[in-house]
Amino acid sequence: MARDLDIVSPRGRLTRAALAGWAVLIYVFLFAPIVLLVVFSFNSNKYGTFPITGWTSKWYGQVFHDYQIRDALTTTIRIALEVTVVSTIVGTAAAFPLVRSRLPFRSGIRITLVLPIMIPGLLIGISLLVLFTSVLHQQLSPTTAVIGQAVYTTPFVLLLVAARLQGFDASLERAASDLGANTYQRLRYVVMPLLAPAILAGALFVFTLSLDEFIITLFLIGSHNTLPIYIYTQVKFGITPEVNALAALLLAASLTLMALAFVLPALVRRAVRLVPRKAGA
Amino acid sequence: MADAAAIAFRGVMKRYGSQVALQPTDLEISEGEFFCLLGPSGCGKTTTLNLVGGFVSPSDGEILIRGQSVNKHPPYRRAVNTVFQNYALFPHMTVRDNVGFGLKMARVAKRDAAGRIEEALALVGLEEFADRLPAQLSGGQQQRVAVARALVNQPAVLLLDEPLGALDLKLRKRLQIELAQIHRDVGTTFVYVTHDQEEAMSMATRIAVMNHGRIEQVGTPFEIYHRPNSAFVADFIGESNFIDVDVGPGGRAALDNGAEVPAPEPRRSGRATLMVRPESIQIRRIAEANGSGLRGRIAQSSFLGSHTRVAVLCDGVETPVTAALFGTEGAAASDLRPDTEVVLIWDPADVVLLEGAEGKEADAVDVN
């Protein structure tokens, strides 16, 4: 086959080699900084940069012994969990009227609902800051940060669940109704199980977004620190190896969660398929 | 029929805006019937089924299931179950859980439910597939699961909405036989919607032929075929020849050119359409003919295996008249070359007179 191609375009091999080289360059451009950061996090050089003087994992140990980092980590995870719960519930609930009801201007409403994804975080941060402090006279706290982040993350859940709901075969609900299921039972046994993969993916997505959300959080968190904010404040005094280690950890966590968001729905489906077979054996 | 009918419509009608989907309709379906709603798409047959199932509420009139008005009951409170056209099996549940869904909703004890599920699966021959997901089954198997899932609830009536529409012809034929068998086994009233007249004829105990939101005729397959009460029914079920005639006393039926053709005694004299099935027509050479008959010339003779179809251009009739000749008659017709002069004859008892010029609003004439 390769030979057939060579006949059609004699210089094809050269072109393909050039394209492959270009692809490698793009990869280097995208990922070299991240790889470098991970490499530095294992570098024993205490300035956290070249030259590499030896390999160590002590920076990771120090990360966990620093009370400021532990504090920021706790705040980050707490906020991420709260944002996930709020966004998942609000986003899922909002998907139903968006897809199912006969609202006028439905596509317009859809666009406005997902607008926060496109609105600069700066704007969301400032507008909520004004709202909380000047209008509502609220103390800034992790809770105000949760609300701010949820404004930005909820549309992601909404989009994922609405897409799934759009493809939902309405005759399944008719069938459930025909078989005696009332509204609650239809939701419980038919609609929710079929939406679950989308809801789960949405939740994981939100959690990941929340973990490293910076701008909105910076405006609204008050005197507390999340990890991204802590890292930012540390970098002002120079890059330390601890910061490298911390960033590498954050990266690992994000990647794991993202992978889960993709893999989990398939795993759930497979589990559903396996369980009854075990019961039958 | 001392008991209340399984289903009764009392002046039921359905309107969508200004469009009438079902004209005011009275209908009774008895316990144990295999009742077919037959008609072209848009004739109101699915609307009728949805009215029984509760997915559509009537604009007027009353629907009774086993003598009880169900107008205000949502689908989940009606003693009917439906086999949907696309089966609508729950993709996240095994065959067993699909079949057991209705029992679970009705809070039937787990042990009783397990037995009934097995029974229902045995009825449709799918015991070994209980732990599969719907996606792992063929179309025919999915259709059987849908039947089992509906029947396991022991409904007063089983509604089937073109359940075989998505299957290929061979499988459809087999499942037609299976469905009729299941109907005999369980004795449940079946109401079956289809646009396929052969399907209706092969399974139904009674057929309602529908057109333009109206039931044109209700009867056994035999009645519908041999005694259609309108040109629409005659045309929709099987094949028919329609010949415009002037009828008079004594079974006199004259074409526009004055020639007389065999016909039964009419209910009243005047304009009528004479309907005769192709297989009721016999062909005689002009030399052999005696008495009245329809004269014409052979246009085309086609041998189709089981029978021979002959199209004849007749004097005084606009469209060619089709005759279907079986057996020895068919063999004899093989030497009928085009332009051979022939006379078509038929037994007046095999003819239906549809009165009114086009037979459109015609009443059937009782010829016996």
Side-chain angles (χ1 to χ4, degrees):
Chain A
M1 225 167 64
R3 191 162 292 172
D4 294 346
L5 258 177
D6 288 342
I7 292 165
V8 175
S9 108
R11 260 176 240 143
R13 200 172 295 185
L14 198 71
T15 317
R16 279 198 297 280
L19 280 175
W22 181 239
V24 170
L25 272 180
I26 290 170
Y27 266 84
V28 170
F29 172 70
L30 287 177
F31 294 112
I34 295 171
V35 172
L36 220 54
L37 178 131
V38 175
V39 169
F40 287 155
S41 73
F42 289 104
N43 187 357
S44 62
N45 177 341
K46 69 174 174 178
Y47 300 106
T49 174
F50 283 125
I52 288 166
T53 53
W55 299 110
T56 177
S57 60
K58 70 176 171 187
W59 309 123
Y60 284 88
Q62 284 188 13
V63 161
F64 289 108
H65 284 109
D66 186 325
Y67 81 93
Q68 272 188 302
I69 293 178
R70 279 217 304 271
D71 196 42
L73 183 69
T74 318
T75 310
T76 306
I77 289 175
R78 215 192 91 198
I79 288 178
L81 286 175
E82 288 179 20
V83 169
T84 304
V85 171
V86 171
S87 288
T88 308
I89 293 172
V90 174
T92 303
F96 279 86
L98 196 64
V99 175
R100 292 286 175 88
S101 72
R102 299 211 179 91
L103 292 170
F105 315 114
R106 210 164 51 167
S107 58
I109 290 172
R110 158 171 293 219
I111 290 167
T112 12
L113 277 176
V114 299
L115 212 55
I117 293 176
M118 269 89 77
I119 291 177
L122 191 72
L123 227 129
I124 297 175
I126 292 175
S127 58
L128 280 171
L129 181 67
V130 170
L131 179 74
F132 285 133
T133 55
S134 312
V135 180
L136 298 174
H137 302 293
Q138 290 290 309
Q139 194 88 48
L140 292 178
S141 68
T143 308
T144 49
V146 166
I147 295 169
Q149 287 192 6
V151 168
Y152 162 67
T153 55
T154 303
F156 288 97
V157 179
L158 177 68
L159 280 182
L160 279 166
V161 177
R164 179 87 178 182
L165 203 56
Q166 202 109 61
F168 194 93
D169 183 358
S171 72
L172 292 180
E173 274 185 275
R174 277 171 56 127
S177 181
D178 182 75
L179 291 165
N182 59 32
T183 310
Y184 163 75
Q185 289 169 318
R186 289 200 294 276
L187 207 60
R188 159 87 177 71
Y189 294 110
V190 178
V191 179
M192 277 308 170
L194 288 170
L195 288 185
I199 297 172
L200 202 67
L204 282 168
F205 204 67
V206 168
F207 191 82
T208 315
L209 286 173
S210 169
L211 273 189
D212 71 345
E213 209 294 317
F214 179 74
I215 303 173
I216 300 171
T217 316
L218 184 69
F219 279 104
L220 298 175
I221 198 155
S223 57
H224 286 74
N225 268 346
T226 62
L227 277 183
I229 294 173
Y230 172 79
I231 292 171
Y232 173 71
T233 52
Q234 288 305 295
V235 168
K236 278 198 266 190
F237 309 115
I239 296 156
T240 63
E242 289 96 335
V243 167
N244 282 339
L246 195 55
L249 284 174
L250 214 51
L251 174 72
S254 297
L255 286 179
T256 312
L257 286 170
M258 274 301 166
L260 273 182
F262 280 107
V263 174
L264 220 55
L267 283 181
V268 169
R269 267 198 296 272
R270 193 173 306 167
V272 167
R273 212 169 302 162
L274 285 178
V275 169
R277 219 175 262 169
K278 257 185 237 154
Chain B
M1 214 65 61
D3 296 329
I7 295 173
F9 274 34
R10 304 245 171 93
V12 174
M13 73 99 81
K14 179 63 190 176
R15 210 175 20 224
Y16 292 103
S18 63
Q19 203 169 359
V20 177
L22 185 69
Q23 310 265 11
T25 298
D26 290 299
L27 179 67
E28 286 215 353
I29 301 173
S30 313
E31 290 284 350
E33 274 198 84
F34 196 130
F35 193 89
C36 262
L37 294 165
L38 174 66
S41 61
C43 72
K45 56 190 193 298
T46 300
T47 302
T48 307
L49 196 77
N50 285 337
L51 281 163
V52 179
F55 301 110
V56 167
S57 60
S59 309
D60 195 15
E62 195 177 18
I63 301 168
L64 299 105
I65 296 176
R66 287 195 169 150
Q68 276 198 314
S69 172
V70 295
N71 274 24
K72 293 197 170 68
H73 292 193
Y76 57 88
R77 286 189 51 213
R78 296 192 183 197
V80 298
N81 287 115
T82 309
V83 177
F84 294 91
Q85 185 165 16
N86 61 355
Y87 320 136
L89 299 179
F90 305 123
H92 58 298
M93 295 183 201
T94 60
V95 167
R96 179 179 282 119
D97 291 344
N98 262 288
V99 174
F101 189 82
L103 301 175
K104 189 170 165 184
M105 294 305 109
R107 300 188 199 289
V108 173
K110 277 228 169 82
R111 204 161 353 112
D112 297 346
R116 280 168 68 180
I117 293 167
E118 286 309 313
E119 246 173 72
L121 286 174
L123 184 71
V124 296
L126 285 176
E127 300 99 312
E128 304 118 82
F129 298 90
D131 295 318
R132 298 248 188 118
L133 287 176
Q136 297 166 309
L137 300 180
S138 71
Q141 289 167 337
Q142 290 184 24
Q143 199 273 339
R144 289 194 194 101
V145 174
V147 171
R149 183 177 71 172
L151 278 176
V152 77
N153 308 294
Q154 296 164 347
V157 180
L158 182 72
L159 307 177
L160 302 104
D161 185 6
E162 305 218 16
L164 308 181
L167 304 173
D168 65 62
L169 185 66
K170 239 183 183 163
L171 192 55
R172 207 152 68 210
K173 295 250 187 235
R174 212 176 74 204
L175 284 168
Q176 282 171 17
I177 296 169
E178 276 185 34
L179 274 177
Q181 175 75 44
I182 289 169
H183 174 251
R184 281 193 297 276
D185 289 349
V186 297
T188 306
T189 312
F190 280 30
V191 179
Y192 192 107
V193 162
T194 181
H195 63 264
D196 181 344
Q197 46 115 351
E198 209 183 306
E199 202 167 287
M201 299 286 279
S202 73
M203 293 188 290
T205 53
R206 274 204 306 161
I207 296 174
V209 183
M210 297 188 70
N211 191 30
H212 296 310
R214 211 168 74 85
I215 294 181
E216 295 264 342
Q217 187 173 6
V218 181
T220 64
F222 189 90
E223 288 166 352
I224 297 274
Y225 187 81
H226 289 289
R227 297 283 161 254
N229 64 5
S230 69
F232 173 80
V233 174
D235 204 29
F236 195 76
I237 310 280
E239 204 183 345
S240 302
N241 294 296
F242 296 101
I243 302 166
D244 291 339
V245 289
D246 286 309
V247 289
R252 223 180 47 81
L255 302 177
D256 292 344
N257 65 3
E260 289 203 8
V261 292
E265 182 69 36
R267 193 180 286 171
R268 56 177 179 268
S269 301
R271 206 70 181 140
T273 300
L274 184 151
M275 190 284 286
V276 57
R277 299 281 183 192
E279 70 271 20
S280 303
I281 298 176
Q282 289 176 301
I283 298 183
R284 296 277 178 274
R285 275 152 213 284
I286 234 127
E288 305 162 4
N290 54 347
S292 71
L294 185 59
R295 297 172 70 102
R297 276 169 297 107
I298 304 285
Q300 167 99 39
S301 171
S302 326
F303 174 66
L304 297 174
S306 64
H307 66 283
T308 302
R309 289 176 66 84
V310 185
V312 184
L313 294 165
C314 298
D315 313 326
V317 184
E318 266 179 53
T319 48
V321 175
T322 304
L325 306 173
F326 289 82
T328 50
E329 259 193 289
S334 56
D335 61 337
L336 288 173
R337 303 256 166 270
D339 289 332
T340 312
E341 300 249 356
V342 292
V343 176
L344 305 183
I345 60 167
W346 50 77
D347 185 342
D350 290 335
V351 165
V352 175
L353 279 182
L354 304 163
E355 292 179 24
E358 299 297 317
K360 264 185 187 144
E361 290 157 353
D363 301 319
V365 176
D366 193 7
V367 291
N368 295 322

